[in-house]
């Protein structure tokens, strides 16, 4: 989730994806920018997104987002709410196993 402490413009999904790619480029260069990152869902109101990246690129993506501090000359921060590593299937993103009620 992206946070804007000063308020400010809310990016569209295309601008959000460009922001992620530019954060990767800024920290890891062109190799980082070439990392395949998909925006699976994006909510413009809450600035929340679900990103998909190969497990070997998780540290690069996480570090690039964490160290990004400015968007359009305004302070911003990313907060990682959840990471799922175990399943390559999209169905695994549909639920939170911590909220399951077992009979």
């Amino acid at each position: 989730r992206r946070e804007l402490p000063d308020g400010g413009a809310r990016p569209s999904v295309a601008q959000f994806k460009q922001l992620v790619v530019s954060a990767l480029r800024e920290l890891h260069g062109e190799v980082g920018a070439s990392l395949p990152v998909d925006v699976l869902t994006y909510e413009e109101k809450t600035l929340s997104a679900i990103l998909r990246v190969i497990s070997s690129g998780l540290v690069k993506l996480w570090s690039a987002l964490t160290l990004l501090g400015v968007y359009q000359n305004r302070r911003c921060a990313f907060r990682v709410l959840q990471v799922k590593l175990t399943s390559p299937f999209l169905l695994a993103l549909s639920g939170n196993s911590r909220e399951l009620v077992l009979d």
Side-chain angles (χ1 to χ4, degrees), residues 1-2 5 8-9 17-18 22 24 31 33 36 40 44 52 55 57 63-64 67 70 72 76 81 83 92 100 102-103:
R1 181 175 63 190
R2 195 165 152 259
K17 171 71 184 256
Q18 184 58 39
S22 63
L24 284 162
V31 173
L40 299 180
E44 196 170 327
R52 180 176 57 188
S55 59
S63 61
L67 294 174
V70 177
Q72 292 184 345
C76 74
L81 301 175
V83 175
L100 289 177
L102 300 176
D103 294 328

Side-chain angles (χ1 to χ4, degrees), residues 15-39 51-54 56-70 78:
Q15 291 169 327
F16 183 83
K17 171 71 184 256
Q18 184 58 39
L19 176 63
V20 170
V21 171
S22 63
L24 284 162
R25 180 176 288 115
E26 185 175 319
L27 187 62
H28 301 290
E30 289 301 318
V31 173
S34 68
L35 185 69
V37 177
D38 298 316
V39 179
L51 304 177
R52 180 176 57 188
V53 65
I54 56 174
S56 62
L58 177 63
V59 172
K60 284 183 181 179
L61 176 61
W62 197 329
S63 61
L65 294 179
T66 302
L67 294 174
L68 183 71
V70 177
F78 279 87

